[in-house]
Amino acid sequence: MDIKLQQVSFAYSVGTPFEKYALFDVDLTIPSKTYHAIIGHTGSGKSTILQHFNGLLKPSKGVVHIGERKIEAGKKAKELKPIRLKVGFVFQFPEHQLFEETVLKDIMFGPMNFGVSEEEAERRAREGIKQVGLPEDVLEKSPFDLSGGQMRRVAIAGVLAMNPEVIVLDEPTAGLDPRGQKEIMDLFYRLHKE
């Protein structure tokens, strides 16, 4: 599924003295089945641009095409649920994405929220935890008893359980030691190949 931005601009705090543009006239095309990284200094708009990829943010100006759907500035976005089902998003800080009492329930939440049966959601959770390289016994633990690297993997498993066509990761290696960074990047490369 292609993602395309056409002259996209985005401003925070519009109409206030704190109004600030994070994106200005961005043109970008990410073809289907490709693997990309967006790099830049802190505050350069990386997270802002990524959040346009599944409709978490809507452009102040321009058009975002996500597959066959589009989100246009100034128009009410119709049915973002199908977009969010196809484009999974892992936030920079996984503790912001985890909230259930067990890892299993946390990973199952997304699929069940989109109408998947409890049995299928549990199957997906067990598969997802294997995909991210964690032992199955972690499913019964609280996500908040895990290390930062394990929390990151659980958040990724939760997105994988949705079976998205595209996975967007915001600073996926932030806060990890060099070994953890290599492991997580190897995981993404393997998932991309699969």
Side-chain angles (χ1 to χ4, degrees):
M1 174 171 52
D2 295 347
I3 296 176
K4 184 176 182 179
L5 279 66
Q6 293 178 302
Q7 296 185 323
V8 169
S9 296
F10 181 80
Y12 288 100
S13 303
V14 175
T16 73
F18 304 104
E19 182 173 319
K20 178 176 168 66
Y21 272 85
L23 302 176
F24 186 75
D25 283 339
V26 174
D27 288 313
L28 173 69
T29 299
I30 300 177
S32 182
K33 300 181 183 176
T34 60
Y35 185 92
H36 292 273
I38 297 175
I39 59 173
H41 294 288
T42 300
S44 63
K46 299 180 305 291
S47 295
T48 302
I49 202 166
L50 293 177
Q51 290 179 44
H52 280 78
F53 291 176
N54 79 342
L56 288 172
L57 293 178
K58 296 169 192 78
S60 301
K61 179 184 156 217
V63 182
V64 178
H65 297 270
I66 304 163
E68 298 298 317
R69 298 186 175 269
K70 66 181 178 178
I71 301 171
E72 293 183 73
K75 292 189 178 179
K76 185 172 167 121
K78 297 177 185 174
E79 280 300 306
L80 293 175
K81 207 170 183 181
I83 291 172
R84 293 186 179 144
L85 189 58
K86 291 182 179 210
V87 181
F89 195 94
V90 180
F91 291 92
Q92 178 179 356
F93 300 105
E95 61 273 15
H96 296 173
Q97 200 162 332
L98 305 175
F99 60 90
E100 283 283 2
E101 63 189 50
T102 67
V103 168
L104 177 63
K105 287 181 180 180
D106 213 298
I107 297 172
M108 289 173 59
F109 178 83
M112 289 178 64
N113 193 40
F114 279 89
V116 171
S117 71
E118 187 173 344
E119 296 77 24
E120 175 62 13
E122 184 170 341
R123 186 196 67 73
R124 289 184 186 189
R126 292 185 185 283
E127 177 63 28
I129 211 71
K130 287 179 196 169
Q131 285 182 293
V132 299
L134 289 175
E136 202 165 306
D137 66 347
V138 80
L139 290 170
E140 300 312 316
K141 294 182 178 180
S142 166
F144 305 105
D145 290 338
L146 305 177
S147 70
Q150 289 172 321
M151 290 174 81
R152 179 95 22 102
R153 288 172 186 260
V154 168
I156 294 164
V159 170
L160 291 174
M162 300 292 296
N163 293 332
E165 291 181 34
V166 175
I167 300 174
V168 178
L169 305 117
D170 189 358
E171 296 199 34
T173 62
L176 299 179
D177 62 20
R179 180 177 173 209
Q181 290 176 359
K182 181 176 179 351
E183 287 175 357
I184 209 86
M185 292 309 294
D186 287 347
L187 167 67
F188 302 141
Y189 182 73
R190 180 177 50 81
L191 290 170
H192 172 68
K193 287 297 182 189
E194 290 172 1

